[in-house]
Every structure is written in structure tokens, then in C-alpha cells.
Amino acid sequence: MTHHLCKKLLRLKLKRTFIWRVAVLRRSAGSLWDQVLACWIGKPIRYRQILESGGPTATVRHRFPSGEMGGDGFASGELVNGAGVGDRSKDGSDLVALKISLLGDDHIGKTSFLAKYTGKEKKQEDFPVEELKQMDKTLSVRGATISYSIWEVGGDAFSADDGGSTAAIRVACKDCVAMLFMFDLTSRCTLNSVISWYQQARKYNQTAIPVMVGSKFDDFIELPIDLQWTISSQARAYAKAINATLFFSSASYNINVNKIFKFVTAKLFNLPWNLERNLKIGEPIIDF
């Protein structure tokens, strides 16, 4: 069983490396083309609108200064109320609408994690039980307005045992720019499911940035230290296999929640960041 899993992980890693190299070549070609167009039309092409969000959901806006990023990612800025994700800047030219998917088994804290980030914190029972949930958040970075449309896939949408229904996964992953694969740090079976979620998601999107998120860190640190080490080692191995950055988080204590999305933003827009790697057992791990 272990040998079979190792072979499976190796194949995933080789495939992901090939896809990543192709994506880099495409981005390089796209960047060159943008420069040619910029010279032709006389002004730079700064952002590309990827996906319009259709929902009128109220959001929260963070404004980040143009300085260097702080120890937790972007330098923290003033938190102000934002309008709906359909709002644009004065001329509408600097709005960038991006889609992110959040995948993982049931009862691992996906909705709480997402509610913490978007500022819509409610009791778990207040949210409807659906295969797909969508929450939105708008933030301003260096004069540009970024609208994140975040799609959460319910755990029942896919089962590693019977194949399940993948319609929700297809909808959530199509055209998304980042995929967050979440698991419960206190439940190894949810960690084992990450590979299956990854395989299904990659059927519909080959280029989105992969991120692995271990939830419920506040419960995880109550486990015996040797079990913490075992789970951490396995999570790091899986993250390496799918070429993903790994974060341990807690929605209850707001550990690494904002940092994860700041990391994604920095990757998407090639912003400078100094996120520090942390591999200490007993602390919220960040591995890349």
C-alpha cells in the first residue's frame, strides 16, 4: 500500500512539474506580448480581468500601502467597509475580478475559514447546506481593486470511495486562479483525501496556484507531540508532491487566515513578499 502511494505521489509530482514549466513559458510569452502591445498603444497593460463575479454580496475591503510587505505578508493597512464586488473604481479600468476555489472533505472548517476571511462570521448552522457556496471579498492593492470570488465545494460533492458527483468541482475550478485544498489537522483521513481532491480539480484546471491548508490548529496542538510530528510530516510530503505551499491555520483564532490570501495575491501579481518558512512542531507550520 505504501509503495503504491509513493508511486502515485511521484507520478503526480512529475506531471505537476511538466505543467508548471509549460505555464511559465506561457506567462513569459504573455508578458512579452503585453510589452509589445504596451509599446504599440502607448500605455502599460497592468491587469487582466479574468472573471466577473455575478453576486451582489457585501464585502470587506483592505487597503494595503505601496511599501514592502511585512512579516505576515503584505504590510497591514486600514480596514474599511467595502461595497459589493460589482463596484468598480472611478473609471472601472483597475478592477481585477478573480476566482478562487476551496476544496476538501466535510466538517473540516471550510465555511468557518471562509467566513473569517470575508468578515461574515456566523454560527455554522446559519449557513445553508449546499454543494457550492460563494463568498466575495474586495481589496485594494497599490491602486488596483481586486475582487475575489471564493467558491467553496461541499465535501459531499466528491467521495474518494465512489467517485461522487464532480459537477460542483468542475464549476468551482473552471477559470479559477488558485485552489485551496483544506484538511482537518486532527483527522488524518481528511489529509489522505487531499490527493484525490487534487486529482479531480486538475481535470478542470491545470494552471491554478495550489495551496494546502490544515485547519483547526488550535485543536491540533492538543494532540501528543509524536502524533503532531507524524501528521506534519505527512502533510509536508503531500504538499511537496502537488507542488503546493502548506499552511496550518485556525479560523477560531485567526491564525494564518489572512496570510494565506495575501500569499495568493503576492503570487498572482508578482508582489514582493517575505513570508517566513516555519517548520517548528507546535507552531503553525508554513512550508514552501
Side-chain angles (χ1 to χ4, degrees):
M1 180 66 180
T2 302
H3 179 67
H4 177 71
L5 179 60
C6 290
K7 290 178 63 178
K8 190 175 182 180
L9 291 175
L10 179 60
R11 286 196 299 270
L12 278 172
K13 184 177 180 181
L14 292 174
K15 181 179 179 181
R16 177 60 184 160
T17 300
F18 174 76
I19 293 171
W20 177 80
R21 289 177 178 174
V22 171
V24 169
L25 290 174
R26 287 179 177 173
R27 287 179 186 142
S28 299
S31 177
L32 179 61
W33 178 242
D34 281 352
Q35 293 178 29
V36 172
L37 286 179
C39 293
W40 181 47
I41 66 178
K43 61 181 181 179
I45 300 173
R46 295 170 55 200
Y47 302 100
R48 191 177 280 115
Q49 187 163 317
I50 296 179
L51 176 70
E52 282 287 358
S53 174
T57 313
T59 59
V60 176
R61 176 175 296 168
H62 282 282
R63 183 169 298 278
F64 299 109
S66 58
E68 293 295 310
M69 299 164 68
D72 63 345
F74 295 111
S76 59
E78 181 183 0
L79 179 67
V80 297
N81 291 329
V85 295
D87 290 358
R88 292 175 177 269
S89 53
K90 291 181 180 179
D91 61 1
S93 60
D94 285 333
L95 176 70
V96 184
L98 302 172
K99 181 179 179 183
I100 295 175
S101 61
L102 178 60
L103 307 102
D105 290 351
D106 268 340
H107 310 300
I108 59 174
K110 296 193 301 293
T111 301
S112 297
F113 172 84
L114 197 49
K116 173 64 72 173
Y117 178 62
T118 58
K120 302 170 189 174
E121 296 181 61
K122 303 178 183 179
K123 295 179 180 179
Q124 185 70 27
E125 56 268 22
D126 292 336
F127 290 98
V129 178
E130 301 171 339
E131 275 198 347
L132 274 175
K133 295 187 184 77
Q134 180 190 357
M135 296 188 193
D136 305 297
K137 181 160 181 173
T138 300
L139 49 127
S140 296
V141 179
R142 301 191 177 188
T145 302
I146 302 174
S147 174
Y148 280 136
S149 176
I150 310 169
W151 293 66
E152 176 197 338
V153 179
D156 288 338
F158 169 69
S159 168
D161 296 326
D162 58 20
S165 170
T166 58
I169 300 176
R170 181 178 66 251
V171 172
C173 295
K174 183 180 180 182
D175 298 322
C176 73
V177 294
M179 298 173 174
L180 308 186
F181 299 97
M182 184 171 281
F183 63 96
D184 182 345
L185 284 165
T186 65
S187 173
R188 294 184 69 179
C189 64
T190 66
L191 172 56
N192 292 332
S193 296
V194 165
I195 297 298
S196 296
W197 281 103
Y198 176 83
Q199 290 174 323
Q200 287 294 319
R202 282 302 185 198
K203 291 180 180 179
Y204 310 109
N205 190 314
Q206 295 289 316
T207 58
I209 297 170
V211 180
M212 266 182 67
V213 180
S215 65
K216 304 183 182 180
F217 176 75
D218 50 310
D219 293 329
F220 175 71
I221 56 176
E222 301 296 329
L223 298 177
I225 193 69
D226 56 337
L227 185 55
Q228 290 186 45
W229 184 88
T230 300
I231 293 173
S232 298
S233 298
Q234 184 179 352
R236 290 181 59 204
Y238 280 15
K240 186 175 182 180
I242 65 176
N243 198 29
T245 300
L246 173 67
F247 291 87
F248 284 8
S249 71
S250 168
S252 300
Y253 292 88
N254 199 19
I255 298 173
N256 283 343
V257 176
N258 292 319
K259 190 178 294 185
I260 290 168
F261 288 94
K262 290 175 182 179
F263 164 76
V264 170
T265 303
K267 291 282 285 185
L268 290 173
F269 293 92
N270 293 319
L271 296 173
W273 61 288
N274 59 353
L275 190 66
E276 294 183 1
R277 196 180 188 203
N278 185 2
L279 303 180
K280 296 180 181 178
I281 302 300
E283 297 184 11
I285 281 179
I286 300 175
D287 191 19
F288 50 88

